[in-house]
PDB file of all heavy atoms in Angstrom:
ATOM      1  N   ARG A 104     102.708  57.992 133.896  1.00 97.00           N
ATOM      2  CA  ARG A 104     102.571  56.714 134.596  1.00 97.00           C
ATOM      3  C   ARG A 104     101.107  56.304 134.745  1.00 97.00           C
ATOM      4  O   ARG A 104     100.789  55.362 135.480  1.00 97.00           O
ATOM      5  CB  ARG A 104     103.276  56.773 135.964  1.00 97.00           C
ATOM      6  CG  ARG A 104     104.803  56.903 135.821  1.00 97.00           C
ATOM      7  CD  ARG A 104     105.426  55.677 135.126  1.00 97.00           C
ATOM      8  NE  ARG A 104     106.870  55.827 134.909  1.00 97.00           N
ATOM      9  CZ  ARG A 104     107.428  56.296 133.783  1.00 97.00           C
ATOM     10  NH1 ARG A 104     106.671  56.659 132.757  1.00 97.00           N
ATOM     11  NH2 ARG A 104     108.747  56.389 133.671  1.00 97.00           N
ATOM     12  N   THR A 105     100.237  57.030 134.065  1.00 97.00           N
ATOM     13  CA  THR A 105      98.864  56.560 133.869  1.00 97.00           C
ATOM     14  C   THR A 105      98.575  56.677 132.388  1.00 97.00           C
ATOM     15  O   THR A 105      98.803  57.743 131.798  1.00 97.00           O
ATOM     16  CB  THR A 105      97.829  57.433 134.615  1.00 97.00           C
ATOM     17  OG1 THR A 105      97.982  57.283 136.021  1.00 97.00           O
ATOM     18  CG2 THR A 105      96.402  56.999 134.258  1.00 97.00           C
ATOM     19  N   PHE A 106      98.093  55.597 131.793  1.00 98.00           N
ATOM     20  CA  PHE A 106      97.604  55.667 130.418  1.00 98.00           C
ATOM     21  C   PHE A 106      96.096  55.531 130.450  1.00 98.00           C
ATOM     22  O   PHE A 106      95.570  54.613 131.077  1.00 98.00           O
ATOM     23  CB  PHE A 106      98.170  54.526 129.555  1.00 98.00           C
ATOM     24  CG  PHE A 106      99.670  54.480 129.522  1.00 98.00           C
ATOM     25  CD1 PHE A 106     100.338  53.278 129.652  1.00 98.00           C
ATOM     26  CD2 PHE A 106     100.412  55.646 129.359  1.00 98.00           C
ATOM     27  CE1 PHE A 106     101.724  53.226 129.621  1.00 98.00           C
ATOM     28  CE2 PHE A 106     101.798  55.598 129.332  1.00 98.00           C
ATOM     29  CZ  PHE A 106     102.463  54.389 129.465  1.00 98.00           C
ATOM     30  N   VAL A 107      95.442  56.452 129.770  1.00 98.00           N
ATOM     31  CA  VAL A 107      93.990  56.354 129.635  1.00 98.00           C
ATOM     32  C   VAL A 107      93.690  55.917 128.210  1.00 98.00           C
ATOM     33  O   VAL A 107      94.029  56.622 127.258  1.00 98.00           O
ATOM     34  CB  VAL A 107      93.303  57.703 129.924  1.00 98.00           C
ATOM     35  CG1 VAL A 107      91.787  57.563 129.800  1.00 98.00           C
ATOM     36  CG2 VAL A 107      93.676  58.230 131.299  1.00 98.00           C
ATOM     37  N   LEU A 108      93.097  54.739 128.076  1.00 98.00           N
ATOM     38  CA  LEU A 108      92.740  54.230 126.755  1.00 98.00           C
ATOM     39  C   LEU A 108      91.268  54.523 126.525  1.00 98.00           C
ATOM     40  O   LEU A 108      90.404  53.906 127.151  1.00 98.00           O
ATOM     41  CB  LEU A 108      92.984  52.726 126.656  1.00 98.00           C
ATOM     42  CG  LEU A 108      94.382  52.195 127.013  1.00 98.00           C
ATOM     43  CD1 LEU A 108      94.468  50.704 126.702  1.00 98.00           C
ATOM     44  CD2 LEU A 108      95.454  52.944 126.242  1.00 98.00           C
ATOM     45  N   GLN A 109      91.000  55.485 125.630  1.00 98.00           N
ATOM     46  CA  GLN A 109      89.614  55.891 125.394  1.00 98.00           C
ATOM     47  C   GLN A 109      89.217  55.647 123.945  1.00 98.00           C
ATOM     48  O   GLN A 109      90.047  55.795 123.046  1.00 98.00           O
ATOM     49  CB  GLN A 109      89.437  57.375 125.733  1.00 98.00           C
ATOM     50  CG  GLN A 109      87.977  57.816 125.674  1.00 98.00           C
ATOM     51  CD  GLN A 109      87.797  59.277 126.075  1.00 98.00           C
ATOM     52  OE1 GLN A 109      87.962  60.178 125.271  1.00 98.00           O
ATOM     53  NE2 GLN A 109      87.463  59.508 127.331  1.00 98.00           N
ATOM     54  N   SER A 110      87.957  55.296 123.739  1.00 98.00           N
ATOM     55  CA  SER A 110      87.463  55.109 122.368  1.00 98.00           C
ATOM     56  C   SER A 110      85.957  55.276 122.330  1.00 98.00           C
ATOM     57  O   SER A 110      85.294  55.330 123.368  1.00 98.00           O
ATOM     58  CB  SER A 110      87.804  53.697 121.878  1.00 98.00           C
ATOM     59  OG  SER A 110      87.062  52.739 122.605  1.00 98.00           O
ATOM     60  N   GLY A 111      85.408  55.338 121.115  1.00 98.00           N
ATOM     61  CA  GLY A 111      83.972  55.173 120.958  1.00 98.00           C
ATOM     62  C   GLY A 111      83.626  53.746 121.351  1.00 98.00           C
ATOM     63  O   GLY A 111      84.523  52.942 121.646  1.00 98.00           O
ATOM     64  N   GLU A 112      82.351  53.438 121.373  1.00 98.00           N
ATOM     65  CA  GLU A 112      81.963  52.052 121.701  1.00 98.00           C
ATOM     66  C   GLU A 112      82.163  51.194 120.451  1.00 98.00           C
ATOM     67  O   GLU A 112      81.266  51.050 119.624  1.00 98.00           O
ATOM     68  CB  GLU A 112      80.530  52.005 122.233  1.00 98.00           C
ATOM     69  CG  GLU A 112      80.426  52.606 123.624  1.00 98.00           C
ATOM     70  CD  GLU A 112      79.200  52.126 124.386  1.00 98.00           C
ATOM     71  OE1 GLU A 112      78.552  51.161 123.949  1.00 98.00           O
ATOM     72  OE2 GLU A 112      78.906  52.742 125.437  1.00 98.00           O
ATOM     73  N   ASP A 113      83.360  50.674 120.325  1.00 98.00           N
ATOM     74  CA  ASP A 113      83.800  49.967 119.122  1.00 98.00           C
ATOM     75  C   ASP A 113      84.022  48.495 119.473  1.00 98.00           C
ATOM     76  O   ASP A 113      85.022  48.138 120.085  1.00 98.00           O
ATOM     77  CB  ASP A 113      85.104  50.619 118.629  1.00 98.00           C
ATOM     78  CG  ASP A 113      85.632  49.963 117.363  1.00 98.00           C
ATOM     79  OD1 ASP A 113      85.043  48.960 116.904  1.00 98.00           O
ATOM     80  OD2 ASP A 113      86.644  50.471 116.830  1.00 98.00           O
ATOM     81  N   LEU A 114      83.077  47.653 119.048  1.00 98.00           N
ATOM     82  CA  LEU A 114      83.132  46.242 119.458  1.00 98.00           C
ATOM     83  C   LEU A 114      84.138  45.412 118.650  1.00 98.00           C
ATOM     84  O   LEU A 114      84.275  44.216 118.882  1.00 98.00           O
ATOM     85  CB  LEU A 114      81.735  45.616 119.407  1.00 98.00           C
ATOM     86  CG  LEU A 114      80.717  46.274 120.351  1.00 98.00           C
ATOM     87  CD1 LEU A 114      79.365  45.575 120.276  1.00 98.00           C
ATOM     88  CD2 LEU A 114      81.209  46.302 121.806  1.00 98.00           C
ATOM     89  N   TRP A 115      84.857  46.055 117.728  1.00 98.00           N
ATOM     90  CA  TRP A 115      85.969  45.351 117.073  1.00 98.00           C
ATOM     91  C   TRP A 115      86.962  44.892 118.152  1.00 98.00           C
ATOM     92  O   TRP A 115      87.556  43.825 118.049  1.00 98.00           O
ATOM     93  CB  TRP A 115      86.673  46.277 116.077  1.00 98.00           C
ATOM     94  CG  TRP A 115      87.789  45.588 115.342  1.00 98.00           C
ATOM     95  CD1 TRP A 115      87.701  44.865 114.196  1.00 98.00           C
ATOM     96  CD2 TRP A 115      89.183  45.539 115.744  1.00 98.00           C
ATOM     97  NE1 TRP A 115      88.941  44.374 113.843  1.00 98.00           N
ATOM     98  CE2 TRP A 115      89.861  44.771 114.771  1.00 98.00           C
ATOM     99  CE3 TRP A 115      89.913  46.065 116.831  1.00 98.00           C
ATOM    100  CZ2 TRP A 115      91.241  44.518 114.845  1.00 98.00           C
ATOM    101  CZ3 TRP A 115      91.274  45.809 116.901  1.00 98.00           C
ATOM    102  CH2 TRP A 115      91.930  45.039 115.916  1.00 98.00           C
ATOM    103  N   TYR A 116      87.117  45.746 119.178  1.00 98.00           N
ATOM    104  CA  TYR A 116      87.994  45.377 120.294  1.00 98.00           C
ATOM    105  C   TYR A 116      87.192  44.464 121.207  1.00 98.00           C
ATOM    106  O   TYR A 116      86.504  44.917 122.125  1.00 98.00           O
ATOM    107  CB  TYR A 116      88.476  46.621 121.048  1.00 98.00           C
ATOM    108  CG  TYR A 116      89.234  47.576 120.169  1.00 98.00           C
ATOM    109  CD1 TYR A 116      88.560  48.588 119.492  1.00 98.00           C
ATOM    110  CD2 TYR A 116      90.608  47.461 119.992  1.00 98.00           C
ATOM    111  CE1 TYR A 116      89.245  49.450 118.659  1.00 98.00           C
ATOM    112  CE2 TYR A 116      91.288  48.329 119.153  1.00 98.00           C
ATOM    113  CZ  TYR A 116      90.603  49.314 118.492  1.00 98.00           C
ATOM    114  OH  TYR A 116      91.268  50.172 117.661  1.00 98.00           O
TER     115      TYR A 116
END
Side-chain angles (χ1 to χ4, degrees):
R104 293 297 176 266
T105 292
F106 303 136
V107 181
L108 306 186
Q109 187 177 84
S110 68
E112 289 202 12
D113 181 356
L114 298 182
W115 182 87
Y116 301 90

